[in-house]
Amino acid sequence: MKNGMKIALALLLLVPGGQCKKADEGEPGTLNDSRAAFVGASITENWDFGRYFPGRDFRKVIHYDWDKTQAWGEVQALQPRIVVVKECGAYFYTGGGTPLDEFAESVRAMVGLIRGLGAVPVLCTTIPVDVGRGDCTQEQLDDIRSFNEWLRGYCAGESIVLIDYYGRVADAQGQLPAAYHDGDGLHPNQAGYDALSPLVIPALESAL
């Protein structure tokens, strides 16, 4: 019995601070060993993660609707450490009047779900559109800019890391330059993805 107590005491002293750790607690980890779920629509779906983020455990959850909470079951099943949520410009009304309060409520709900899972939320500004190309309009761009302004304030208030895709690619008029889209004024081409991709890893590392 005495020998057993000595062994137990020795094992306890091996743990910093003299406190036992559960086998499944682990360390916080780094981005290298963290799974990230990217929730988005066509822009996320077309992003070549293998090209831009080789060796990373980045998963896509593609949902073609502005309310990304509808895809929560798929996100939860991945058991990610980080969840990146991006709204697409296609869901902002070309005639203006996008229900931005509903968009905001969806973002708040998604953040609550992510945190409830024990994961880290990372949000993204919406990429601008090129007015006059495809179906893109000034009213649509104005709503995107209003949403992004709200999102920046929300992230600052909630201490959430924000990936500012809009700020990275917007030109002097706040639009998506023709050099960065595939001709429809909305979807990035390779040059667009080349510009956006370097923002991702530093943001996720900061979030962790």
Side-chain angles (χ1 to χ4, degrees):
M1 179 66 71
K2 290 183 179 179
N3 287 338
M5 290 178 63
K6 290 180 179 179
I7 293 171
L9 179 60
L11 290 174
L12 181 61
L13 292 174
L14 288 175
V15 180
Q19 300 202 359
C20 294
K21 294 176 67 178
K22 295 179 182 178
D24 60 353
E25 278 184 354
E27 296 297 332
T30 65
L31 186 58
N32 289 333
D33 55 19
S34 296
R35 176 173 297 166
F38 287 71
V39 187
S42 56
I43 292 174
T44 300
E45 186 172 26
N46 295 333
W47 208 316
D48 187 350
F49 282 5
R51 173 190 178 94
Y52 293 105
F53 315 117
R56 304 286 185 172
D57 193 4
F58 290 175
R59 310 296 181 90
K60 299 177 182 180
V61 176
I62 307 304
H63 183 69
Y64 283 93
D65 192 281
W66 60 268
D67 184 4
K68 299 301 187 284
T69 62
Q70 296 172 1
W72 179 247
E74 189 175 348
V75 174
Q76 190 175 26
L78 292 174
Q79 292 295 304
R81 177 154 174 74
I82 308 171
V83 181
V84 182
V85 182
K86 178 191 159 305
E87 195 61 78
C88 182
Y91 299 113
F92 292 77
Y93 298 176
T94 56
T98 306
L100 299 181
D101 55 340
E102 295 181 19
F103 279 44
E105 183 56 36
S106 174
V107 170
R108 293 189 191 97
M110 194 68 171
V111 167
L113 290 168
I114 294 166
R115 286 175 166 168
L117 187 63
V120 179
V122 173
L123 302 179
C124 311
T125 53
T126 298
I127 296 170
V129 295
D130 189 358
V131 174
R133 294 294 188 101
D135 297 325
C136 300
T137 67
Q138 184 63 50
E139 292 81 4
Q140 180 184 23
L141 179 61
D142 290 343
D143 282 354
I144 289 172
R145 295 174 73 174
S146 294
F147 174 76
N148 286 343
E149 182 178 355
W150 171 82
L151 191 67
R152 292 187 182 99
Y154 174 72
C155 287
E158 290 289 325
S159 299
I160 296 172
V161 169
L162 177 73
I163 305 180
D164 192 3
Y165 292 139
Y166 177 95
R168 176 65 183 87
V169 297
D171 63 15
Q173 288 72 45
Q175 300 186 44
L176 182 62
Y180 283 163
H181 65 74
D182 65 5
D184 67 354
L186 176 68
H187 294 93
N189 55 16
Q190 184 171 318
Y193 285 116
D194 286 347
L196 296 170
S197 294
L199 299 181
V200 175
I201 299 299
L204 301 195
E205 289 177 339
S206 175
L208 288 177

